[in-house]
Amino acid sequence: DGGITQSPKYLFRKEGQNVTLSCEQNLNHDAMYWYRQDPGQGLRLIYYSQIVNDFQKGDIAEGYSVSREKKESFPLTVTSAQKNPTAFYLCASSISRHRVYEQYFGPGTRLTVT
Amino acid sequence: ILNVEQSPQSLHVQEGDSTNFTCSFPSSNFYALHWYRWETAKSPEALFVMTLNGDEKKKGRISATLNTKEGYSYLYIKGSQPEDSATYLCAFPAFSGGYNKLIFGAGTRLAVHP
């Protein structure tokens, strides 16, 4: 079955540590996205990538970094510079950058930093 | 700043009730509107992508209408069932820097009680 996988489902880290969230897709989609959800708010875009070795900052990129070395993989690193890292993180992909195409989402990773 | 508003924030209905909720979006530079359904512990999945003013789309007991001139879309659920319980998100594509960027509303959380 085609889809998007994110791991782990739950992640706990101590403050000051960097942590990397995994996102893999086998849909052969060009575009991939990372979103963050906080209670009572809509999904906010952290980073997006149109093709391999290309990515762009979204609305809340500070304290995060990404890489896109392979078409199917788009890992997100939450660095110690991110002031409020505890949140639910969703990865998504779409066929292309064309705005009409819907996005396909992974199951998400809930990160708790203490 | 583009803003997408959804109302109500949450909704509790009895099984068999019909219900509807609203998504408001910028009426200028309209291109498309997305509706997603997000069940607890699952990934958000696309319900509809609507592009034409006056468009009406249907999937089983769920339907959506679109008014691009006044900037709103309604989602209707006829004869709600407990399995309809989910958060319903709408999203407005913004074409920024050559990339497809979705601006999400905060969602309407629907609970259908048996």
Side-chain angles (χ1 to χ4, degrees):
Chain A
D1 286 335
I4 300 180
T5 56
Q6 289 185 245
S7 60
K9 192 170 182 179
Y10 298 98
L11 194 52
F12 298 89
R13 278 294 182 270
K14 295 286 186 186
E15 198 173 317
Q17 292 179 332
N18 291 355
V19 60
T20 297
L21 282 57
S22 164
C23 176
E24 304 277 329
Q25 55 102 355
N26 60 5
L27 299 167
N28 200 34
H29 285 175
D30 284 325
M32 296 187 75
Y33 311 84
W34 273 106
Y35 293 94
R36 169 183 171 135
Q37 192 202 29
D38 294 285
Q41 295 194 39
L43 300 178
R44 292 184 292 165
L45 184 65
I46 304 172
Y47 265 99
Y48 50 98
S49 168
Q50 184 190 1
I51 54 172
V52 174
N53 293 322
D54 171 79
F55 46 83
Q56 299 291 326
K57 292 182 180 180
D59 299 321
I60 53 166
E62 187 175 345
Y64 299 98
S65 66
V66 292
S67 63
R68 187 87 186 274
E69 296 176 4
K70 298 186 293 182
K71 187 175 185 178
E72 58 270 22
S73 179
F74 190 40
L76 174 76
T77 297
V78 184
T79 74
S80 55
Q82 167 50 233
K83 293 178 184 175
N84 297 297
T86 294
F88 187 73
Y89 292 88
L90 272 173
C91 178
S93 70
S94 64
I95 293 174
S96 75
R97 65 177 175 155
H98 197 287
R99 68 180 83 180
V100 171
Y101 291 106
E102 67 263 34
Q103 294 187 2
Y104 293 75
F105 288 87
T109 293
R110 186 166 297 280
L111 173 65
T112 302
V113 176
T114 57
Chain B
I1 296 176
L2 296 174
N3 207 26
V4 176
E5 302 281 348
Q6 290 189 249
S7 62
Q9 189 174 12
S10 65
L11 200 50
H12 292 257
V13 302
Q14 291 298 125
E15 184 175 353
D17 288 350
S18 293
T19 187
N20 66 85
F21 23 94
T22 307
C23 173
S24 301
F25 53 85
S27 56
S28 59
N29 297 317
F30 177 84
Y31 195 87
L33 185 82
H34 296 210
W35 279 102
Y36 292 85
R37 170 194 161 107
W38 191 1
E39 291 180 72
T40 302
K42 294 187 178 179
S43 310
E45 56 179 8
L47 279 173
F48 307 115
V49 177
M50 308 182 78
T51 56
L52 299 175
N53 185 42
D55 208 4
E56 180 170 347
K57 298 219 172 188
K58 192 173 179 181
K59 190 182 252 188
R61 291 177 291 97
I62 303 176
S63 61
T65 61
L66 180 67
N67 184 323
T68 61
K69 295 187 189 311
E70 295 183 37
Y72 65 82
S73 176
Y74 292 138
L75 192 80
Y76 299 91
I77 302 179
K78 185 178 177 182
S80 304
Q81 299 296 309
E83 58 263 31
D84 295 327
S85 298
T87 297
Y88 292 84
L89 302 171
C90 68
F92 182 79
F95 203 60
S96 174
Y99 293 92
N100 175 10
K101 168 182 164 177
L102 282 179
I103 299 173
F104 283 85
T108 293
R109 182 174 290 182
L110 174 66
V112 182
H113 302 283

